[in-house]
Amino acid sequence: MSSKVGVVIVTHYRLGEEFLQALQLILPEAPAFAAVAVDPNQPVEQIRQAIADKLAAAENGEGVLVLTDMFGGTPSNMSLSFLDEHHVEIVTGINLPMLVKLATLSEDKPLEELATFIKEYGQRNISVASELLPGAKA
Amino acid sequence: MSALEESFIVQGELGLHARPAGRFVNLAGRFESEISVSREDNEEWVSGRSVLSILSLAASQGTILKLRAEGPDAEEAVRALGTLLTEPRAPA
């Protein structure tokens, strides 16, 4: 079902793990994505090593999509340092629709294409709820 | 190739929320038929294979949903998915 591209979530504290728990609730058969919890008080080398370990484990030869919570934050900045040495793309501003989509993709996409697709999907699924509700004010 | 369309009333107390939508998509994926869903009061059809599309229907308890299946197993698909929609409560 899912793409062969690996998926690793890197966030402030345990946001990523909580996202994955919510994903499992909605889709119990979702693939096991990895999450790295970054505590900014940790030594930099320890954070870097934790990300490196998850990237290595998620790599299936097709690259790894890294989802971070916010561009410019430490989890994102630390992930950026892997751009040169690994086949990774980093998409910032993770949301649950993005994860649900990644877990239910019907066809494999190459890493670069997947990154652009999932960015646009995440943006498209931010809504003013009343605009979606039938019969509500337009 | 047969196409089948049937209406169901959403029974779950919390409506068709994220978890049943996930189960719906999972179940829909097991059939060969193309599955689409729409509200009775709206002609817009969405794919039965997308959790977010299903959620965009905003189907609460009592909403009437139309289910359409096109393919060799359309009848089984409509029966199974209709059963899911009409479950009295959200699954544990």
Side-chain angles (χ1 to χ4, degrees), chain A:
Chain A
M1 275 293 270
S2 83
S3 169
K4 288 187 191 69
V5 169
V7 175
V8 174
I9 306 169
V10 187
T11 62
H12 292 87
Y13 301 109
R14 295 169 48 88
L15 279 176
E17 283 149 69
E18 300 295 334
F19 267 120
L20 290 180
Q21 198 178 342
L23 178 66
Q24 287 291 330
L25 176 74
I26 301 166
L27 298 166
E29 291 163 37
F33 300 143
V36 181
V38 174
D39 180 340
N41 298 316
Q42 278 175 294
V44 167
E45 215 21 69
Q46 202 178 319
I47 300 173
R48 216 180 161 331
Q49 190 58 50
I51 299 172
D53 290 347
K54 297 286 187 184
L55 285 182
E59 175 63 81
N60 294 315
E62 302 288 329
V64 180
L65 179 65
V66 177
L67 301 169
T68 70
D69 48 6
M70 186 170 67
F71 184 84
T74 300
S76 199
N77 292 345
M78 296 294 291
S79 300
L80 286 171
S81 69
F82 290 93
L83 273 176
D84 292 335
E85 50 192 271
H86 284 71
H87 185 199
V88 296
E89 284 288 347
I90 297 154
V91 176
T92 67
I94 184 176
N95 61 30
L96 195 51
M98 292 159 82
L99 280 180
V100 168
K101 192 63 184 175
L102 283 171
T104 53
L105 282 177
S106 53
E107 59 181 45
D108 296 339
K109 295 180 195 294
L111 177 60
E112 289 72 18
E113 196 183 311
L114 181 66
T116 305
F117 169 80
I118 213 67
K119 177 200 77 168
E120 287 166 0
Y121 190 84
Q123 291 174 335
R124 204 161 63 237
N125 283 285
I126 295 172
S127 313
V128 176
S130 64
E131 292 171 356
L132 288 181
L133 293 171
K137 58 180 186 280

Side-chain angles (χ1 to χ4, degrees), chain B residues 67-81:
Chain B
L67 205 55
R68 183 195 286 159
E70 285 180 79
D73 51 7
E75 202 173 315
E76 297 94 305
V78 166
R79 195 182 321 123
L81 293 165

Side-chain angles (χ1 to χ4, degrees), chain A residues 1 22-23 25-28 96-97 99-105 121 125, chain B residues 16-28 46-58:
Chain A
M1 275 293 270
L23 178 66
L25 176 74
I26 301 166
L27 298 166
L96 195 51
L99 280 180
V100 168
K101 192 63 184 175
L102 283 171
T104 53
L105 282 177
Y121 190 84
N125 283 285
Chain B
L16 192 50
H17 61 99
R19 203 165 358 141
R23 288 178 59 226
F24 186 97
V25 167
N26 189 285
L27 186 56
V46 302
S47 166
R49 294 184 195 274
S50 160
V51 177
L52 270 293
S53 297
I54 300 282
L55 290 175
S56 75
L57 294 169

